[in-house]
Amino acid sequence: MRRVPKTPRVLKSGKQQLAYYQRLWNTILSGKPWHSEIVDKRKDGALYAVDQTITPVKDESGAITNFVAIQQDISERMQAEKKIEDSQKAIVNVLEDLRAEKANTEKEKAKDEAMLGSIGDGLIAVDNVGKIMVMNKTAETLLGWNMSEAIGKHYDDVISLEDEKGTDVPLTERPLAKALSTSSTTTATSITSFYIHSKNKVKFPVAITVSPIVLDNQIIGAIEVFHDITHEKEIDRAKTEFVSLASHQLRTPLSTIGWYTEMLLGGDAGALTDTQKKYLDEVYMGNKRMVELVNSLLNVSRIETGSFGIEPQKVAVKDVVESVLKDLSVDLAKKKLVVEATYDDVTVIDADPKLLRMIFQNVLSNAQRYTPAGGVIYFRASRRPTDILFTIRDTGIGIPHEAQKKMFTKLYRADNAQNVEPNGTGLGLYMVKSILDHAGGRIWFESEEGKGSTFYVTIPLAGMKQREGGKGLV
Ligand code: ADP
């Protein structure tokens, strides 16, 4: 507390406006106390914040004799208040930044969702244990699931995948499982024939592509993209039916040409000149090739429509192989190719004799065609714990590295094979593989260009799987 004379030096820090002093003096001179928070100047000239009350002191007559000023240094409080104010401002700034960031993220999210929504294919992303993280609109429509219901569920509970017969595809065979375990991009197309059975009980064929999501060399999930291929399947079926019909119809006139050419060549219509015989030989050979091609097309269409049957019975392997080699004997002799066949302890197996013959005929005729003159073809049948293994090795031109993965594709022929043998169909191995796939067997090969090839064929010890089907292969 200070007693202040009537003309005080006080309150002259220079920080207050003149009007402030006028109001102060007017108040205290009128006998009322004055209260304010101001900035004052210490004697050393330093400024400080004060809370002050100035009360006029009056004598008995009521005249103001002096003033009592109570001052409290509130610099610290003011500083604390300033700090609080500053931190409030900082918090508000951070909140504003957060709000802006959130708006931005939401915009990005909306953009991503719009992008996902615009994809015409179904898309599902799962985490590393197969739980669904994201699903787009098309996937919702195709699967009959809402994204909100599906998120967090295992994909196996949401995507019901079946094969053509309506059997559930085992978890280990599912593309997503493969992507999560192998880290390679796995593509499953219509050839694999997967069907999705939607929640609304709609079944449709799908083409599926899956890829793992890899972060820092670790698989953190996988993405499956799929689309309905009902339309493509329809077109494919119509095409196969057309090929089947056309090749069936072509067989009759081709047989007629074959018979009459044989008769002409046999002299049934009189003796032929050398030139006539030469020309007729060409007609006969050309017709034979045409019959082979048409038969292959018919077989492929029967395999693809699933209308061929497998009728296993006891078959003597050696008899079948020898009959094939007999048919090939002229061609083998022309190129002076030697065939060495061993049967170990394999005698009789359970197989469809026509199909077994077709398998050996294709693989052995390939060995004959793609082995240069003077080469050797080895055939070996051996028993293994669960199957019979047939090994067909040749010393031929081999299969170029880049052609190897396409070897069982329909109509595929490697360049080196086309050079040595222009007349091929590229259907033989495709057919053999399809037959074996249905019969429970397998085919694969090892080869190096210029160093020969080894084909391996297996038939289960239990025999070929029986298969009902109206038509046989020709
Ligand atoms: P095609 O023999 O009529 O061409 P295939 O389906 O039987 O049809 O064979 C497909 C392709 O596989 C052949 O064109 C050839 O490139 C390759 N191939 C098959 N067998 C052999 C073999 N033993 N040696 C080298 N190439 C082979």
Side-chain angles (χ1 to χ4, degrees), residues 366-367 369-370 394 397-399 407 412-414 417 424-429 453 455:
N366 278 345
R369 277 198 284 177
Y370 304 120
D394 63 49
I397 58 172
I399 301 167
M407 213 32 55
Y412 183 77
R413 305 194 67 213
T425 61
L427 291 172
L429 287 182
S453 313
F455 278 80

Side-chain angles (χ1 to χ4, degrees), residues 362-363 365-371 392 394 396-400 403 407 409 411-418 421 423-431 447 452-455:
N362 269 293
V363 186
S365 70
N366 278 345
Q368 174 269 316
R369 277 198 284 177
Y370 304 120
T371 304
I392 302 96
D394 63 49
I397 58 172
I399 301 167
M407 213 32 55
T409 316
L411 299 171
Y412 183 77
R413 305 194 67 213
D415 289 346
N416 64 339
Q418 297 196 39
E421 179 55 73
N423 296 313
T425 61
L427 291 172
L429 287 182
Y430 170 76
M431 226 151 54
S447 181
S453 313
T454 308
F455 278 80

